[in-house]
Amino acid sequence: MDFKMDWQRQDRIGLPEAIHAQSKSPEQIAAVLSEARALGVAVLVTRLDPEKHRALGPECVDTLDYDPLSRTAILAGSGAPQALDLDVAIVTGGLADMPTAREAARTLAFSGVTVTEYPDIGVAGLWRLMERIEDIRSHDVVIAVAGMEGAIFSVLGGLIAAPLIAVPAPVGDGVAEGGHAALTSALASCASGILSVNIGNGFGAAHAAMRMARLKRPAGCDRYLNRDSYCLRG
């Protein structure tokens, strides 16, 4: 089976390689995981639905930390990513947004990022958000996940100073079907400076937050930050 994983990505850009399972067969996924185990590399698998997870076979299934809600799996290894000096809040409009939010949370946790989740505090009950706003403001980066009209993106954008990453969730009916209305809201928000990723892309939002950790890098540092030393010199 012909495949070539980018195991040097962590050293090169500070973001670990991952397996996008949606477009791969169980045999292809199993082959990549076998190579990772041989190298001792920790791997995050995304978009791994339960049926495909079961089809990997006992050898793979028994070695994976699998979460069906986010459709992510983690293969532990000695080459796990170094913990980052970053504290991220993940805010969701409703419980239906949790699969996308949990993908972001698991992606961040895989790289040692501190994550606090604030679920089900959408603007349909604005008091829920306002009760937690001071806690949300305490984080370095905020990821907001919402379907329907995505109103929480603009509301948060006007209330917090931290970088805000909007993730339209594929939740809604009619004109909101598939998260398209939420994506339009994120892109057309009147709150300036909001970053938006594609519909349902919790993984991409997590990696965008991790790139923001570079803003903490002191002059003269030429590698990614970690919690212990802040600066790794090549």
Side-chain angles (χ1 to χ4, degrees):
M1 190 175 299
D2 186 20
F3 66 87
K4 187 172 180 61
M5 298 298 290
D6 186 4
W7 301 125
Q8 289 74 44
R9 183 176 300 177
Q10 175 77 36
D11 290 335
R12 190 175 65 253
I13 66 172
L15 299 175
E17 174 70 301
I19 302 172
H20 185 265
Q22 183 171 305
S23 57
K24 296 178 178 64
S25 69
E27 292 76 19
Q28 289 172 322
I29 299 167
V32 176
L33 290 172
S34 178
E35 179 176 303
R37 283 195 299 270
L39 295 172
V41 178
V43 178
L44 173 69
V45 186
T46 65
R47 304 303 167 93
L48 181 63
D49 61 64
E51 182 179 355
K52 191 173 288 187
H53 172 245
R54 289 191 296 269
L56 293 176
E59 182 181 1
C60 283
V61 170
D62 292 345
T63 59
L64 292 175
D65 169 15
Y66 181 62
D67 175 41
L69 178 62
S70 63
R71 296 181 296 160
T72 60
I74 294 174
L75 174 69
S78 58
Q82 291 178 313
L84 300 180
D85 181 36
L86 187 65
D87 182 12
V88 178
I90 300 180
V91 179
T92 57
L95 293 180
D97 306 319
M98 285 305 297
T100 299
R102 190 58 54 82
E103 181 183 78
R106 294 262 293 177
T107 301
L108 290 164
F110 175 72
S111 290
V113 174
T114 300
V115 179
T116 304
E117 297 182 70
Y118 298 90
D120 198 23
I121 56 173
V123 298
L126 191 58
W127 59 271
R128 299 176 300 180
L129 174 61
M130 297 312 296
E131 280 186 342
R132 307 305 303 273
I133 192 63
E134 291 303 324
D135 295 332
I136 294 169
R137 283 173 173 153
S138 68
H139 298 276
D140 298 325
V141 178
V142 177
I143 295 174
V145 184
M148 303 300 284
E149 81 278 31
I152 198 171
F153 304 143
S154 289
V155 172
L156 273 175
L159 291 174
I160 65 172
L164 175 60
I165 304 170
V167 189
V171 176
D173 300 307
V175 297
E177 186 174 2
H180 294 283
L183 175 60
T184 299
S185 292
L187 295 175
S189 174
C190 61
S192 61
I194 296 175
L195 166 68
S196 179
V197 298
N198 203 0
I199 297 170
N201 192 8
F203 172 84
H207 274 211
M210 289 161 61
R211 285 181 181 271
M212 291 174 183
R214 289 181 177 274
L215 297 175
K216 293 186 175 184
R217 182 176 58 189
C221 294
D222 54 11
R223 291 187 63 191
Y224 217 48
L225 300 178
N226 66 30
R227 290 186 181 280
D228 297 326
S229 63
Y230 285 93
C231 175
L232 295 175
R233 301 180 186 276

